[in-house]
Amino acid sequence: MEWRKLKNLIILILLTVNGFLLVLVGIRREESARYERSALEQTVQVLEQGGIQVDVEAIAAADGLAPMTVERDVEREARLVSALLDEEVQGDNRGGGLYLYQGKLGEVSLRAGGELSADFPQDNHWKTDHPEDHAAALLKKLGVEGALTDQVNEGEDIVLRFRQSWNGAPVFSCEVEFMYRDGWLRALRGTLLMAVEGTVEAGQTLTLPTALMRFSEGLGATGDVCSAIRAMEPGYRGTAQSLSGGARLTPVWLVTTDTANYYLDCVSGALTRAADQ
């Protein structure tokens, strides 16, 4: 047989084998997805029989989230302060992880763990007719991912609350409030994670069926009751590790029910009330 014909035959055989493998992988993925849907449906039925309704459309898996530690980035904090005060300001290390910055536009303090406090005089240049757009743009300028979660209007005062995101996932323990009066930005209060990613820990996140069962078990152990799970949103919960500013990010579901909100650990399945953070 001529070499050219033999080479074409080998290529045809390889293409056929690859096609077969792709079909096999597709079949297995479909079978796995079908199994997961079936397991979720059965779990939801079990919970409903126990008196807990589940909005399946409002719950999401925690794929891709893993426990990790992050380290405080003082240089990034300084850039944030420079953006807020519109000038480079040297931080005063007050000890205990507290840095104080003072400039012509106001004063900013940052603590280990990301606790932020900023105050601006009435005549600062942060004035706007559209506080929501202004706050969102300022966050972007600060290099922070965030989404608006609440807005309170009280006369001339407007308070906007934003929740920070880390790698696209919400950090439930990191929220900051922008306080406007007569269009002037007067203060910022809250917690922002100004850090660099460190060590990613090993850990397999729970599947949705397992997570729902762990939630039910944890609820029973606490003695709490609910009749409906309205949402399960995956994200992170941050815990300060040291005065140097290191923090641990734990993947959790924020479980919203008709009676209270809870954090469900995506790896261990431990359940705590959201108010207990």
Side-chain angles (χ1 to χ4, degrees):
M1 181 180 294
E2 296 181 7
W3 168 242
R4 181 177 298 178
K5 292 182 179 180
L6 180 59
K7 183 174 66 173
N8 291 339
L9 179 60
I10 293 173
I11 293 174
L12 179 61
I13 291 173
L14 291 175
L15 290 174
T16 302
V17 171
N18 286 338
F20 173 77
L21 291 175
L22 286 174
V23 171
L24 184 60
V25 169
I27 292 174
R28 288 184 175 178
R29 285 183 177 176
E30 179 59 30
E31 289 178 348
S32 177
R34 189 182 304 114
Y35 171 79
E36 291 178 2
R37 287 194 299 269
S38 176
L40 180 58
E41 291 171 359
Q42 293 176 21
T43 303
V44 169
Q45 289 176 4
V46 170
L47 264 64
E48 290 179 345
Q49 290 171 3
I52 301 178
Q53 300 293 316
V54 181
D55 184 352
V56 178
E57 298 298 324
I59 61 178
D63 298 338
L65 299 186
M68 69 177 68
T69 56
V70 296
E71 298 300 328
R72 184 177 188 180
D73 189 343
V74 178
E75 292 183 359
R76 187 180 177 191
E77 289 182 354
R79 292 195 296 270
L80 175 146
V81 172
S82 296
L84 286 176
L85 299 180
D86 200 32
E87 63 176 316
E88 292 187 9
V89 180
Q90 186 68 32
D92 181 12
N93 189 346
R94 297 296 182 91
L98 170 64
Y99 283 81
L100 180 65
Y101 301 82
Q102 294 177 310
K104 60 185 179 182
L105 297 183
E107 180 178 283
V108 180
S109 67
L110 283 162
R111 297 181 179 274
E115 185 179 343
L116 166 69
S117 178
D119 293 283
F120 307 99
Q122 179 68 29
D123 58 352
N124 74 75
H125 73 304
W126 298 123
K127 192 176 191 303
T128 178
D129 295 326
H130 307 283
E132 182 179 337
D133 294 337
H134 180 267
L138 186 54
L139 267 184
K140 185 175 181 180
K141 182 178 181 180
L142 299 178
V144 176
E145 293 181 64
L148 182 67
T149 60
D150 192 27
Q151 176 172 334
V152 178
N153 297 350
E154 296 180 355
E156 298 298 327
D157 294 346
I158 298 176
V159 178
L160 302 165
R161 178 179 297 172
F162 285 78
R163 176 176 293 155
Q164 186 177 2
S165 297
W166 186 264
N167 294 335
V171 184
F172 301 117
S173 54
C174 291
E175 294 186 330
V176 63
E177 290 185 340
F178 291 75
M179 305 173 188
Y180 292 86
R181 175 170 295 173
D182 296 327
W184 294 96
L185 176 62
R186 302 304 308 277
L188 269 72
R189 298 284 186 274
T191 302
L192 289 178
L193 191 64
M194 305 303 292
V196 291
E197 190 168 321
T199 305
V200 178
E201 303 175 16
Q204 185 70 34
T205 56
L206 303 175
T207 63
L208 276 176
T210 302
L212 287 170
M213 293 307 299
R214 293 289 181 86
F215 172 79
S216 179
E217 294 166 0
L219 198 67
T222 62
D224 290 354
V225 294
C226 77
S227 60
I229 296 177
R230 293 174 175 167
M232 281 179 62
E233 181 183 9
Y236 286 106
R237 187 180 180 192
T239 306
Q241 298 292 294
S242 64
L243 290 179
S244 64
R248 186 175 190 273
L249 293 181
T250 301
V252 297
W253 277 284
L254 175 59
V255 185
T256 304
T257 77
D258 59 325
T259 57
N261 295 339
Y262 299 85
Y263 291 122
L264 180 68
D265 192 299
C266 292
V267 177
S268 70
L271 184 70
T272 57
R273 271 182 174 263
D276 296 336
Q277 63 175 325

